Amino acid sequence: MESSESSPELKKSKSKAAPRKSKETPSTLKQKSPAEFFAENKNIAGFDNPGKSLYTTVRELVENSLDSAESISELPVVEITIEEIGKSKFNSMIGLVDRERIDEALYDDYETTKAREKRLAKEARAQEMQAKNISLGKKVKESQPSKGMKGRGEASFYRVTCKDNGKGMPHDDIPNMFGRVLSGTKYGLKQTRGKFGLGAKMALIWSKMSTGLPIEISSSMKGQNYSTFCRLDIDIHRNIPHVHAHEKRDNKERWHGAEIQVVIEGNWTTYRSKILHYMRQMAVITPYAQFLFKFVTDSTDKNVTIRFSRRTDVMPPIPLETKHHPSSVDLLLIKRLITETSKANLLQFLQHEFVNIGKPYAERLIGEMGPDFNPKTAVKSLTSQQIVRIHQLFRQAKFDDPSGDCLSPAGEYNLRLGIIKELHPDMVATYSGSAQVFEGHPFIVEAGVSMGGKDVKQGVNIFRFANRIPLLFEQGADVVTRTALKRINWSSYKINQTQDKIGVFVSIVSTKIPFKGTGKEYIGDDITEIATAVKAAIQQCCIQLKSKIVKKIQAREQQERKRNLSKYIVDATSAVYEVLKEMAHSHASKKKKVADDDEDSELLDKVSDRIITKETLREKLAQHVEKVDYEMAMEYATQSGVSEEPRESIYLQSLEEEADDKNFINLHNPIFVFRLYN
């Protein structure tokens, strides 16, 4: 009752509040451009922090260079340079004059008198403890010089330059290829290294956010007598390129490819090992490429120059663009295909826009859709309800699996070469599985397992690749890591999981890599088809290694037996000879004739006449040990035979598949490629 009766004061206050409410303007819808979205959510593309941003920039530029060279079947030559830019140089680049600090207390690294006294007292106690430990003979670590109060510090800037010998870019397309997000050439159904089509665009966005400096591109296509130079940045709010310079220059050297230069904020100190690890793994999976990596700074002792030389000129085939499998499409994709198709009727649409649908099967599908459908139905006239019916049938019908012909795995030959070139293992085994399918997408798993090697730690060292790019982050949840550590019984293959130096290399290629999370970091362990294929590939490598390890153990045991026998030859010779001497002396003292055919008598006479000496016995025993060792080896070879050795397939490539200017054919084998010239 009290709530329904309002006091005059309350009514008055309500009447005053009403006009304010009526004056409020209604909310308006706002729209963000794709560039603005990725700028605000840069972690999606791997630009989480300055250090990760430097690593991702290097990775994106290198992968774009490899794609560009491979697309024209050119053996890649990639040069990547990271140049550290000091504060003064960076300020001069942006036209800013250096300024000395005036109010020190304003800065984050300012240290008060009390804090300095506390720090110095702590350092004095540490030095006193160190001197005491030295006097007691204890080992002590070298003390690091004090850096004063720790603050956020100044940003570090780097000029990243990547140059390649790829196909280059058309002059008119360069601004949009770099300055417009979500415009590119990698959106077909094809095995590609990239996922979002961002690449250098995100590096440009990060450069815009952290330094404000534009990106510089030089490019020239094969056969062009000019090269293109372009300097541009991006209008993030409108998602359009802002071109500073776009001109043609002479190309007297007939160079083709691209050179991209971008200045960004980064952190070399924290991500140095990741970047070098990435380059090394890239050299493993692409041994047909040549990489030159440089880090340049004012401190010459910190400069880094590493060349990863080419080991082979045999390249994987160029991945082909393929059509969608019916079981992998959704409603939106079907509608897009209907909009873009050039086919007039439903029968032609089903035949030509999807894989594994021939004319007879397409007619059966149309008959199953109902009376509203017939082979001559105009595909553009299909209603939303009819499209839903097609989608429902695609999900329920039975289709053959897509083939792996569109995929381009590294190949056992290249994988083996890369492992040997970079790790120098004692032994290595590789395996390439056949094409399998998940959610309508074909995939191939290749694996390699190595034992021993340079710079390899004890235990299981895992190297993961997806569409021939290294994956360095989120290893714990990855399907390869979990399979190698939890599903493989290494001891059953004569391998010690904790003490042996084991390298596990797994490369997965597909038209759709099921990455988890927002970045290209790892492949989840929840897809049964991929997990099963990874386990089977690693096991096949382990089976090969087991036969090698068993033979190595048997050879070592044989050598040990021979060494043990040889070790006692001297002692056995002395003992036998002393016995023979005593017997010969006893025989001579009896002075009785023994028949001439008595072998013992003849032997003792030879000992007495020194025809048989300690040296001759030693020589005979050594010959006997060699004979026994040889007979045991022959017996083992006869029992095992060559039938237990795995037989490798050899593939003959037709001349029609080669370019016109090549007059050779290749015999492909997982271990070697034999080239025949005409």
Side-chain angles (χ1 to χ4, degrees):
M1 293 296 293
E2 291 179 359
S3 63
S4 62
E5 295 178 359
S6 301
S7 64
E9 289 81 2
L10 185 58
K11 289 181 179 178
K12 189 175 181 179
S13 63
K14 285 183 177 179
S15 64
K16 289 182 179 179
R20 286 200 300 270
K21 194 171 184 180
S22 62
K23 288 181 180 179
E24 289 180 2
T25 57
S27 61
T28 56
L29 293 175
K30 294 183 179 180
Q31 186 176 2
K32 289 183 179 179
S33 72
E36 195 173 2
F37 171 81
F38 282 107
E40 294 179 359
N41 300 276
K42 54 187 180 296
N43 60 302
I44 290 178
F47 288 77
D48 304 60
N49 53 64
K52 184 79 176 293
S53 299
L54 179 62
Y55 162 79
T56 305
T57 298
V58 170
R59 190 191 71 178
E60 293 289 358
L61 295 181
V62 168
E63 290 165 14
N64 285 348
S65 294
L66 291 174
D67 283 337
S68 178
E70 290 172 6
S71 66
I72 56 173
S73 298
E74 189 84 20
L75 291 168
V77 178
V78 181
E79 298 178 11
I80 187 85
T81 303
I82 302 175
E83 179 187 354
E84 187 174 27
I85 299 175
K87 179 184 174 183
S88 298
K89 186 175 181 180
F90 175 75
N91 286 345
S92 65
M93 290 172 64
I94 62 175
L96 188 65
V97 179
D98 287 343
R99 180 178 174 84
E100 296 293 332
R101 292 184 180 184
I102 299 174
D103 187 354
E104 288 286 347
L106 186 65
Y107 294 89
D108 183 60
D109 57 355
Y110 174 71
E111 188 177 28
T112 63
T113 304
K114 185 177 180 180
R116 183 167 57 255
E117 291 175 353
K118 186 177 179 180
R119 175 176 58 82
L120 293 174
K122 184 178 178 181
E123 291 177 358
R125 287 195 301 270
Q127 290 177 356
E128 184 180 344
M129 182 63 69
Q130 186 177 11
K132 184 177 180 181
N133 290 333
I134 292 174
S135 64
L136 295 174
K138 296 181 180 179
K139 290 184 178 180
V140 294
K141 294 182 179 179
E142 293 184 4
S143 59
Q144 298 295 327
S146 175
K147 297 182 180 179
M149 183 175 177
K150 185 179 180 182
R152 288 191 301 273
E154 297 175 352
S156 300
F157 300 100
Y158 301 87
R159 180 188 285 113
V160 181
T161 307
C162 185
K163 184 177 181 180
D164 62 61
N165 62 335
K167 66 178 180 181
M169 294 165 281
H171 175 82
D172 297 330
D173 293 344
I174 289 178
N176 281 329
M177 291 180 75
F178 286 89
R180 193 186 298 273
V181 175
L182 299 184
S183 65
T185 59
K186 294 185 177 181
Y187 296 129
L189 189 62
K190 184 179 180 181
Q191 174 192 323
T192 57
R193 288 187 170 94
K195 182 182 180 185
F196 297 115
L198 292 172
K201 299 170 193 174
M202 274 306 303
L204 175 55
I205 290 175
W206 175 244
S207 174
K208 177 88 171 180
M209 296 174 68
S210 60
T211 69
L213 291 172
I215 192 173
E216 293 186 354
I217 305 108
S218 297
S219 175
S220 180
M221 302 184 72
K222 255 188 174 182
Q224 285 184 346
N225 57 4
Y226 68 88
S227 64
T228 298
F229 175 78
C230 188
R231 184 188 296 114
L232 60 88
D233 61 26
I234 184 171
D235 187 328
I236 290 179
H237 300 291
R238 293 195 294 164
N239 191 32
I240 58 173
H242 178 209
V243 180
H244 299 261
H246 190 197
E247 59 191 30
K248 295 180 179 179
R249 297 178 175 178
D250 289 337
N251 184 21
K252 297 179 181 179
E253 299 177 356
R254 296 295 182 183
W255 164 73
H256 64 85
E259 182 176 3
I260 301 169
Q261 188 177 102
V262 60
V263 179
I264 60 171
E265 181 185 352
N267 192 326
W268 167 256
T269 305
T270 57
Y271 272 77
R272 177 184 185 275
S273 60
K274 285 290 185 186
I275 293 173
L276 296 179
H277 197 41
Y278 168 82
M279 294 302 302
R280 188 187 185 196
Q281 288 202 31
M282 188 59 84
V284 169
I285 201 67
T286 54
Y288 52 88
Q290 178 177 305
F291 299 98
L292 178 61
F293 177 84
K294 292 181 181 179
F295 173 76
V296 181
T297 183
D298 293 337
S299 302
T300 55
D301 58 328
K302 294 182 180 180
N303 288 351
V304 177
T305 300
I306 304 176
R307 182 183 297 276
F308 300 92
S309 301
R310 179 182 295 119
R311 183 68 184 265
T312 176
D313 63 353
V314 178
M315 296 176 62
I318 299 173
L320 304 174
E321 189 166 343
T322 186
K323 298 173 184 177
H324 294 274
H325 192 268
S327 63
S328 68
V329 297
D330 54 33
L331 280 172
L332 287 176
L333 184 54
I334 295 174
K335 289 180 180 179
R336 181 171 69 81
L337 292 175
I338 289 174
T339 303
E340 297 175 354
T341 187
S342 60
K343 304 304 176 185
N345 60 53
L346 182 57
L347 179 65
Q348 294 174 338
F349 172 73
L350 294 177
Q351 279 183 256
H352 294 92
E353 297 297 337
F354 302 95
V355 295
N356 295 359
I357 298 183
K359 184 177 180 181
Y361 205 73
E363 291 173 343
R364 290 176 61 189
L365 289 172
I366 295 171
E368 189 65 23
M369 291 176 189
D372 295 337
F373 297 85
N374 66 72
K376 294 187 178 180
T377 299
V379 71
K380 303 285 187 184
S381 67
L382 292 173
T383 65
S384 297
Q385 291 80 5
Q386 288 176 313
I387 294 173
V388 171
R389 178 66 185 127
I390 294 173
H391 180 237
Q392 290 176 346
L393 185 59
F394 278 177
R395 295 189 62 166
Q396 297 170 0
K398 197 168 52 173
F399 299 97
D400 292 336
D401 290 337
S403 69
D405 297 342
C406 60
L407 301 178
S408 175
E412 282 191 68
Y413 173 72
N414 281 331
L415 183 59
R416 182 186 295 266
L417 271 184
I419 295 171
I420 293 172
K421 180 170 78 79
E422 295 302 321
L423 269 68
H424 304 284
D426 300 327
M427 60 178 70
V428 62
T430 54
Y431 174 78
S432 181
S434 56
Q436 300 185 52
V437 179
F438 79 97
E439 298 179 357
H441 293 276
F443 71 93
I444 292 176
V445 175
E446 297 177 297
V449 178
S450 66
M451 298 288 292
K454 183 180 68 174
D455 299 331
V456 181
K457 299 177 182 177
Q458 283 186 330
V460 180
N461 300 267
I462 297 173
F463 303 83
R464 303 167 292 140
F465 305 92
N467 280 352
R468 305 211 305 267
I469 63 171
L471 306 179
L472 302 187
F473 296 92
E474 303 290 347
Q475 181 166 312
D478 188 83
V479 62
V480 177
T481 304
R482 292 194 173 184
T483 300
L485 297 182
K486 296 182 179 180
R487 302 188 184 112
I488 302 295
N489 184 6
W490 295 97
S491 60
S492 64
Y493 302 105
K494 308 294 184 184
I495 299 173
N496 189 316
Q497 185 176 351
T498 56
Q499 295 184 3
D500 289 335
K501 296 180 177 180
I502 310 165
V504 178
F505 303 80
V506 176
S507 173
I508 302 173
V509 296
S510 177
T511 53
K512 180 185 178 183
I513 296 291
F515 289 112
K516 293 293 181 181
T518 54
K520 299 179 291 185
E521 307 293 3
Y522 74 103
I523 301 172
D525 193 32
D526 56 342
I527 299 175
T528 306
E529 296 90 342
I530 293 181
T532 303
V534 168
K535 180 180 178 182
I538 296 175
Q539 285 178 326
Q540 287 295 325
C541 295
C542 290
I543 290 171
Q544 296 178 42
L545 283 182
K546 182 180 179 180
S547 64
K548 297 179 181 179
I549 293 170
V550 168
K551 290 179 181 178
K552 193 174 182 180
I553 292 173
Q554 290 172 336
R556 188 164 56 242
E557 290 175 350
Q558 186 178 337
Q559 290 177 352
E560 187 67 23
R561 286 194 301 269
K562 182 179 177 180
R563 186 161 51 247
N564 289 336
L565 287 172
S566 301
K567 185 169 63 175
Y568 295 110
I569 286 177
V570 176
D571 294 337
T573 300
S574 300
V576 171
Y577 188 70
E578 290 299 325
V579 171
L580 289 175
K581 276 176 59 178
E582 288 296 327
M583 290 177 65
H585 181 71
S586 176
H587 175 71
S589 64
K590 289 181 180 178
K591 297 182 179 180
K592 59 179 182 179
K593 297 293 183 180
V594 183
D596 294 336
D597 58 350
D598 190 341
E599 294 183 1
D600 292 341
S601 177
E602 184 179 351
L603 175 64
L604 295 175
D605 289 340
K606 288 182 177 179
V607 173
S608 300
D609 297 339
R610 298 191 60 80
I611 297 173
I612 294 178
T613 63
K614 189 182 294 185
E615 287 72 21
T616 56
L617 282 178
R618 187 183 300 121
E619 184 181 346
K620 291 292 183 181
L621 275 175
Q623 291 175 359
H624 181 72
V625 168
E626 289 289 340
K627 182 180 178 182
V628 170
D629 179 65
Y630 176 76
E631 288 176 350
M632 290 180 67
M634 289 296 293
E635 181 182 0
Y636 170 75
T638 304
Q639 290 175 354
S640 61
V642 295
S643 59
E644 292 187 4
E645 291 291 330
R647 295 180 179 271
E648 303 286 359
S649 301
I650 299 178
Y651 303 96
L652 181 63
Q653 191 173 3
S654 66
L655 277 173
E656 296 176 357
E657 298 181 10
E658 297 286 351
D660 295 336
D661 59 340
K662 295 180 180 178
N663 59 344
F664 58 79
I665 55 176
N666 290 334
L667 292 171
H668 288 270
N669 179 276
I671 302 177
F672 65 87
V673 172
F674 188 71
R675 177 163 291 173
L676 296 175
Y677 286 89
N678 293 334

